[in-house]
């Protein structure tokens, strides 16, 4: 069963909130992980690890650097669900 | 070279089996309470671990720290951060140049929860599920590093490892940083979070833990003839050390002076103390020499005393040999009877106790001594606190570790 984009955003927001302490509603599609959410590379890899687990997808390391915004991540995860 | 500088204590913090802060821990110690309790787990059934109790932390870090802090710090670092925040506030949040501020926080064993949970993750779920923060969480310098981040300590962040002497050695190093002029203020202490089934099983295998499962609160009984081993504890304690000039310039409240550090190694056996106690005596002698004190000045000793027969008596024989007849007026306290053994946190917590004892002129009690060992030849404070004399006094905190590490710290009144 595939997750909808809304479900992916919601799940990702929960993961980011757990990792950073930010409120879930701060995690919006247009937000940059580094510039807006102040997430460093270790935290980003932690978020990726949890997201892979939660959505049963694989996000290769070379893709992670292309995930600038929350929206990029939602789009990638949605497309990676087969 | 300039003369060594005087070092004072201007802040204390702790989270322990007796309380979530230094004040409640000290109050419980003066009241003779035990921090030991039955484990809330099934390790005995699941793994056959023969010990079913320990001195677990009184206030869980989850009640104090933000959730992201819990997730990125091993419990040993969590305890250290809780103690640091308290101590730093207690010192009045000193204004100090980061280049003149140090952090020295030790653990005896390191981030073992993180290490073992990482191994569980790898075996059960594979490398792809390993969390990226695993290494910075498990490394033994993690508490020191996080404390340096917390307070902005740029003069140096250090983690000296010497098993159960680690917390005292950290404070000793902090004293040296200030004496030598490297820093004006140092946050120093120790922490440990090893109440995990693997280390418990390992300590049990070495036959060093008390098996008094039917009486957890009565199990830690240093100097009682019926002692049968130590009670594992957990927690952290830190002190804010400051040069006397720096503290005076900002009008800080001073608890006591940390006037001497004595270090030695037995080079005798990996776990057993040298029965002649030469290394222990050297450590105490060096601490007194640095403090400019003599045997006659010593009024109180917080003993390492873990509640093992050979360890407890080796120490008191060392005290008797070093101090001679002057040992007759020393009030000896074995506070592990109440706190259990915090391993890398023990030397720091007992330094906090010794500082408070000198400040309040009150030696904390030793509990559970129903029948004092006839070979104990130093006056023991039993069940209720004992008053220390007025005037200039010296107290010693002894800490010894597996490996033959000996650390003695000399505390004098401000």
């Amino acid at each position: 069963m595939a997750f909808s984009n809304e479900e992916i955003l919601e799940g990702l927001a929960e993961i980011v909130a757990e990792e950073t302490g930010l409120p879930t509603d701060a995690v919006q599609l247009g937000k940059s992980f580094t510039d807006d959410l102040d997430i460093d590379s270790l935290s980003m890899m932690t978020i990726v690890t949890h997201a892979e687990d939660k959505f049963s997808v694989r996000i290769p390391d070379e893709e992670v650097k292309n995930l600038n915004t929350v929206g990029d991540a939602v789009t990638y995860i949605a497309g990676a669900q087969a | 070279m300039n003369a060594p500088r005087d070092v004072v204590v201007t802040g204390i913090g702790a989270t322990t089996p007796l309380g979530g802060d230094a004040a409640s821990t000290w109050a419980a110690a003066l009241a003779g309470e035990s921090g030991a309790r039955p484990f809330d787990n099934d390790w005995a059934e699941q793994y056959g671990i023969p010990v079913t109790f320990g001195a677990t932390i009184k206030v869980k870090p989850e009640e104090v720290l933000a959730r992201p802090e819990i997730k990125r710090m091993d419990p040993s670092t969590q305890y250290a951060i809780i103690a640091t925040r308290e101590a730093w506030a207690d010192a009045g949040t000193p204004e100090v140049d980061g280049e003149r501020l140090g952090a020295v926080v030790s653990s005896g064993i390191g981030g073992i929860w993180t290490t073992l949970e990482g191994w569980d993750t790898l075996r059960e779920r594979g490398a792809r599920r390993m969390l990226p923060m695993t290494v910075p969480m498990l490394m033994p310098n993690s508490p020191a590093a996080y404390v340096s981040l917390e307070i902005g300590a740029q003069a140096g962040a250090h983690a000296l490892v010497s098993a159960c002497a680690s917390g005292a050695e950290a404070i000793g190093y902090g004293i040296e940083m200030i004496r030598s002029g490297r820093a004006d203020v140092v946050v120093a202490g120790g922490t440990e979070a090893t109440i995990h089934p693997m280390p418990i099983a390992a300590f049990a295998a070495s036959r060093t833990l008390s098996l008094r499962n039917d009486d957890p609160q009565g199990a830690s009984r240093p100097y009682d003839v019926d002692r049968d081993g130590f009670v594992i504890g957990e927690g952290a304690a830190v002190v804010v050390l400051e040069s006397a000039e720096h503290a005076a310039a900002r009008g800080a409240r001073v608890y006591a002076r940390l006037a001497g550090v004595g270090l030695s190694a037995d080079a005798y056996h990996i776990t057993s103390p040298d029965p002649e106690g030469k290394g222990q005596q050297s450590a105490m002698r060096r601490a007194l020499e640095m403090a400019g004190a003599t045997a006659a000045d010593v009024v109180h000793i917080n003993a390492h005393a873990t509640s093992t027969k050979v360890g407890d008596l080796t120490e008191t024989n060392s005290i008797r040999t070093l101090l001679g007849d002057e040992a007759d007026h020393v009030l000896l306290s074995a506070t592990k009877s109440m706190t259990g053994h915090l391993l890398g946190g023990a030397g720091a917590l007992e330094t906090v106790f010794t500082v408070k004892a000198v400040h309040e002129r009150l030696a904390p009690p030793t509990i559970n001594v129903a029948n004092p060992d006839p070979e104990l030849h130093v006056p023991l404070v039993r069940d209720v606190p004992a008053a220390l004399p007025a005037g200039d006094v010296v107290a010693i905190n002894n800490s010894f570790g597996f490996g033959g590490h000996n650390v003695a710290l000399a505390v004098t009144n401000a």
Side-chain angles (χ1 to χ4, degrees):
Chain A
M1 193 197 78
F3 293 93
S4 70
N5 282 18
E6 290 71 27
E7 288 168 331
I8 294 169
L9 175 61
E10 196 179 316
L12 208 50
E14 285 167 9
I15 292 168
V16 171
E18 278 276 292
E19 176 66 15
T20 62
L22 291 168
T24 51
D25 60 13
V27 185
Q28 297 164 359
L29 292 175
K31 297 288 185 189
S32 158
F33 285 111
T34 51
D35 297 341
D36 296 325
L37 304 181
D38 199 24
I39 289 169
D40 65 17
S41 60
L42 264 184
S43 284
M44 188 65 190
M45 291 312 301
T46 304
I47 290 163
V48 165
T49 303
H50 288 306
E52 287 187 333
D53 205 21
K54 188 161 200 154
F55 302 115
S56 302
V57 296
R58 179 77 190 264
I59 309 174
D61 289 357
E62 57 271 24
E63 284 297 337
V64 174
K65 64 177 182 297
N66 299 325
L67 306 180
N68 296 315
T69 65
V70 174
D72 294 340
V74 170
T75 303
Y76 186 88
I77 292 166
Q81 300 182 108
Chain B
M1 191 181 143
N2 297 327
R5 307 188 305 162
D6 283 343
V7 180
V8 298
V9 178
T10 57
I12 57 176
T15 183
T16 75
L18 293 178
D21 58 22
S24 60
T25 297
W26 176 243
L30 291 182
E33 294 175 15
S34 168
R37 44 189 79 88
F39 286 146
D40 179 20
N41 60 51
D42 62 353
W43 296 343
E45 296 78 32
Q46 198 174 354
Y47 306 115
I49 292 176
V51 179
T52 61
F53 68 99
T56 50
I57 196 100
K58 179 83 175 273
V59 177
K60 301 271 187 241
E62 288 78 5
E63 296 176 33
V64 185
L65 298 177
R67 189 148 169 81
E69 293 177 315
I70 295 288
K71 294 190 61 130
R72 63 180 56 206
M73 295 177 190
D74 183 83
S76 57
T77 300
Q78 295 167 19
Y79 300 162
I81 288 293
I82 291 167
T84 295
R85 286 179 183 163
E86 181 195 357
W88 197 242
D90 187 49
T93 317
E95 288 280 334
V96 54
D97 177 5
E99 296 274 355
R100 303 292 303 159
L101 175 61
V104 192
V105 185
S106 295
S107 154
I109 292 185
I112 198 159
W113 271 98
T114 301
T115 304
L116 295 171
E117 287 184 343
W119 178 227
D120 290 344
T121 298
L122 180 65
R123 285 186 305 171
E124 290 163 14
R125 311 189 65 204
R128 195 73 202 168
R129 290 288 168 270
M130 189 63 67
L131 289 173
M133 282 295 288
T134 304
V135 171
M137 286 171 68
L138 67 80
M139 60 193 192
N141 54 313
S142 198
Y146 270 106
V147 168
S148 77
L149 290 167
E150 176 76 20
I151 59 173
Q154 297 170 313
H158 309 282
L160 294 95
V161 178
S162 49
C164 304
S166 300
E169 188 165 1
I171 292 171
Y173 193 81
I175 294 167
E176 296 285 10
M177 285 179 79
I178 294 173
R179 279 174 60 86
S180 66
R182 263 186 72 199
D184 294 324
V185 181
V186 176
V187 169
T191 185
E192 204 75 74
T194 55
I195 300 189
H196 176 290
M198 196 288 276
I200 304 258
F203 278 119
S206 71
R207 306 298 192 272
T208 50
L209 290 179
S210 169
L211 299 177
R212 203 177 288 263
N213 290 329
D214 59 350
D215 181 19
Q217 301 212 328
S220 186
R221 42 201 313 129
Y223 301 116
D224 183 83
V225 291
D226 293 321
R227 61 194 174 287
D228 73 328
F230 79 85
V231 172
I232 195 157
E234 62 177 345
V238 304
V239 292
V240 177
L241 303 171
E242 196 161 347
S243 78
E245 303 92 315
H246 195 275
R250 70 183 186 90
R253 178 262 334 271
V254 172
Y255 286 108
R257 286 173 191 272
L258 267 166
V261 186
L263 304 167
S264 74
D266 278 0
Y268 171 80
H269 184 272
I270 192 64
T271 56
S272 298
D274 173 358
E276 292 182 36
K278 284 182 289 197
Q280 297 180 354
Q281 293 165 47
S282 296
M284 286 186 272
R285 184 186 308 111
R286 289 166 187 164
L288 290 176
E289 282 171 4
M290 188 187 283
T294 66
D297 301 321
V298 181
V299 298
H300 169 54
I301 295 179
N302 190 306
H304 183 65
T306 63
S307 187
T308 64
K309 186 172 174 64
V310 60
D312 294 358
L313 289 181
T314 301
E315 180 175 8
T316 44
N317 288 339
S318 295
I319 291 167
R320 175 55 67 177
T321 304
L322 180 71
L323 302 184
D325 290 345
E326 303 293 353
D328 291 341
H329 61 75
V330 168
L331 294 172
L332 187 75
S333 299
T335 48
K336 288 187 182 78
S337 60
M338 300 176 287
T339 64
H341 191 350
L342 273 63
L343 308 179
L349 177 57
E350 288 151 25
T351 299
V352 166
F353 285 159
T354 310
V355 164
K356 287 290 281 183
V358 167
H359 187 236
E360 297 188 4
R361 302 294 166 136
L362 212 49
T366 308
I367 62 169
N368 296 327
V369 187
N371 299 295
D373 193 311
E375 294 178 60
L376 164 64
H377 300 303
V378 182
L380 186 67
V381 183
R382 287 169 61 184
D383 300 323
V384 292
L388 296 178
D392 287 337
V393 295
V394 176
I396 293 174
N397 172 31
N398 278 335
S399 299
F400 311 132
F402 271 12
H405 312 275
N406 305 304
V407 181
L409 300 175
V411 179
T412 66
N413 49 286

